[in-house]
Amino acid sequence: SLVLDLRGNPGGLLPGGVDTASLFLEANKPVVFVADKKGVVDAQSTLVDGIDLETPMVLLVDKNTASAAEVMTACLKENKRATVAGEQTFGKGIVQTIRQLEGGENGGIAVTLARYETPLHNDINKSGIPVDVQADVTCGKDDALTCLPKDAFRKIS
């Protein structure tokens, strides 16, 4: 089995989440939809088969798993490729850009451009991704296995 520890992962850039999820999925699987107020503007799917399509996977997440890490988590969960264990994720499902205030020294303003939708078109913003298996998320980063109950490794149906 493979365990990906995403606890405390703030997500980074969307392409990283998309590319990582693609490593574990068959070709032509939906990864994420980006939608603005008018509807879906970008649909991203896998292009080729990933490098590992069969090893059982568990994603360990917590309330600080956010953004692109949530995109990857939702993708692998909704494509029935991984079990999600831990606690509900943060819920940052929006695309933002930062605009500097005049003069550039007094900060900036975050402008929301769009939102992420999961492969099943769920909007995770402010709600996060529910887990399949509740698990203690306080174990050390060096041994994520101690957080996971045995049923986290059950067969995904």
Side-chain angles (χ1 to χ4, degrees), residues 32 106 131:
V32 65
N106 296 323
V131 296

Side-chain angles (χ1 to χ4, degrees), residues 32-43 115 117 121:
V32 65
F33 298 94
V34 180
D36 66 9
K37 62 184 176 186
K38 297 176 186 170
V40 174
V41 293
D42 184 32
R115 71 180 186 283
E117 290 182 1
H121 290 282

Side-chain angles (χ1 to χ4, degrees), residues 16-95:
V18 171
D19 291 347
T20 304
S22 296
L23 294 172
F24 303 104
L25 293 171
E26 298 169 347
N28 301 312
K29 292 289 186 180
V31 177
V32 65
F33 298 94
V34 180
D36 66 9
K37 62 184 176 186
K38 297 176 186 170
V40 174
V41 293
D42 184 32
Q44 296 189 28
S45 297
T46 56
L47 301 175
V48 297
D49 284 349
I51 60 171
D52 186 342
L53 306 177
E54 296 188 16
T55 303
M57 290 181 68
V58 176
L59 307 179
L60 180 59
V61 299
D62 67 7
K63 65 183 179 186
N64 295 312
T65 304
S67 197
E70 286 178 294
V71 167
M72 182 182 82
T73 298
C75 171
L76 293 173
K77 176 181 178 166
E78 291 184 1
N79 280 294
K80 301 197 180 310
R81 181 60 186 89
T83 300
V84 180
E87 63 186 17
Q88 189 145 326
T89 63
F90 182 81
K92 184 174 186 304
I94 55 177
V95 181

